[in-house]
Amino acid sequence: MRKLIIVIIVINIFSCNNQENKNLNNREELIEAVNENTDPSLTESSKYYLENTKIEFDDPIAFKSTKNIAILVILEQKYIDKGIPNNSYFNIAIIDTSYTVVKLLFEESVIIDNVFTLEKQLEFDDYYYLEEDQKKYSKEYNSLIFFDLWHYKNRKKDYKRFFVYDLKNDNLKQLSPDNCNVISYNIFDNESKILIHYNFDSNKNGKFDEKDDENMVLLNPFKDIITKELFDLDRLKKIKLNVATEN
């Protein structure tokens, strides 16, 4: 038993040393690639980010309701760096019936997450998703792709937005209000209604957190978006004032 323990310890030490050596080699390769990049328009930080990332793609999104196809574009790390998000979608490419990539949904630097659809996709992984387990939604949600989005600058995300893209009609909409951080959302089947729950920088300290007030919007995603708050803020302030004065 004692010999076995010693063998395990030696193996662990050897594995750790190998990983440390690998990380060191990777870091040296990255620094070498950065030094070889002589583009004068790029800062040192931009060169580092550029040389440490590569483009990858996730499974296509395709429906019976349209011949167009969406491809999730991933910016993947070559070497581990805590400052660079890993396995995040950074854009969505659209392919039309001519088998051509006709556009990227966003030109600016963004991070996309929690991509989901309510129409059954033509192709999906049976290991993870079983058709009988999928919630059935009315056809009005066909060809729609929903997702969360953050603007990404200086390796930092800002507040979370909620978007929908109509793959059939090439129509992109931000459903959540500007300058509001999305907490959650509920989609009502057969009623064309989406309830979005969010907070806003109510204490004006430049960030969104649990100290900020919240509100909601209830909207029809198929019509022009009207970002009118569901609750009147003055009335909500009166609730806080009443409680404060009585306690």
Side-chain angles (χ1 to χ4, degrees):
M1 183 65 180
R2 183 179 179 184
K3 290 183 179 179
L4 178 60
I5 294 175
I6 294 175
V7 169
I8 293 174
I9 293 174
V10 171
I11 292 174
N12 287 336
I13 293 174
F14 181 76
S15 298
C16 290
N17 288 336
N18 278 347
Q19 185 62 43
E20 289 177 1
N21 291 333
K22 183 178 179 181
N23 291 340
L24 180 61
N25 291 336
N26 288 343
R27 177 66 61 177
E28 291 174 350
E29 290 177 10
L30 178 56
I31 293 174
E32 183 179 354
V34 170
N35 291 334
E36 290 177 353
N37 189 325
T38 58
D39 188 341
S41 67
L42 298 176
T43 64
E44 192 75 10
S45 177
S46 296
K47 291 178 181 179
Y48 183 88
Y49 202 114
L50 178 66
E51 299 300 338
N52 196 31
T53 52
K54 60 180 180 177
I55 298 295
E56 294 184 350
F57 306 100
D58 206 342
D59 294 333
I61 297 176
F63 305 114
K64 289 183 179 180
S65 60
T66 177
K67 297 297 183 182
N68 297 332
I69 298 173
I71 302 289
L72 301 174
V73 182
I74 305 171
L75 195 60
E76 177 66 90
Q77 297 181 68
K78 293 180 181 179
Y79 314 114
I80 299 301
D81 183 339
K82 64 181 180 180
I84 300 177
N86 197 21
N87 291 324
S88 297
Y89 305 117
F90 279 72
N91 221 313
I92 300 178
I94 307 303
I95 302 171
D96 68 3
T97 54
S98 66
Y99 309 132
T100 303
V101 176
V102 292
K103 67 187 300 185
L104 293 173
L105 288 190
F106 301 95
E107 294 297 329
E108 65 269 41
S109 175
V110 299
I111 291 179
I112 297 170
D113 196 14
N114 191 31
V115 181
F116 67 94
T117 63
L118 303 180
E119 177 185 0
K120 179 181 177 295
Q121 295 184 36
L122 289 180
E123 296 183 49
F124 60 97
D125 193 338
D126 290 320
Y127 182 79
Y128 293 104
Y129 303 98
L130 298 176
E131 183 177 356
E132 58 268 21
D133 292 337
Q134 290 185 315
K135 185 175 181 179
K136 301 297 187 295
Y137 281 82
S138 55
K139 291 183 179 180
E140 62 186 339
Y141 290 106
N142 282 0
S143 79
L144 299 186
I145 302 173
F146 295 91
F147 54 90
D148 300 331
L149 178 141
W150 296 258
H151 285 288
Y152 187 55
K153 189 174 183 179
N154 297 323
R155 301 195 185 187
K156 294 181 180 179
K157 299 191 298 185
D158 62 357
Y159 58 89
K160 182 165 73 172
R161 303 160 177 84
F162 184 45
F163 272 80
V164 62
Y165 176 68
D166 186 338
L167 184 59
K168 181 178 180 179
N169 299 304
D170 185 28
N171 187 17
L172 177 67
K173 287 183 180 180
Q174 178 177 326
L175 299 178
S176 59
D178 278 328
N179 299 314
C180 295
N181 180 64
V182 173
I183 298 173
S184 63
Y185 35 80
N186 300 93
I187 299 176
F188 295 82
D189 193 20
N190 287 311
E191 294 189 30
S192 300
K193 290 193 298 189
I194 296 180
L195 179 67
I196 301 176
H197 178 195
Y198 61 88
N199 64 356
F200 55 97
D201 188 15
S202 58
N203 55 12
K204 301 190 184 304
N205 64 353
K207 60 183 180 180
F208 301 91
D209 54 35
E210 68 279 356
K211 298 177 183 178
D212 288 318
D213 288 331
E214 302 175 2
N215 211 327
M216 295 181 170
V217 290
L218 187 61
L219 52 86
N220 184 333
F222 307 106
K223 295 183 178 180
D224 292 336
I225 304 303
I226 301 175
T227 54
K228 182 180 179 181
E229 297 89 353
L230 190 60
F231 296 96
D232 180 80
L233 293 183
D234 290 334
R235 180 170 295 181
L236 294 180
K237 288 179 181 178
K238 287 181 179 179
I239 294 175
K240 293 199 295 184
L241 180 61
N242 289 341
V243 174
T245 55
E246 294 180 8
N247 289 274

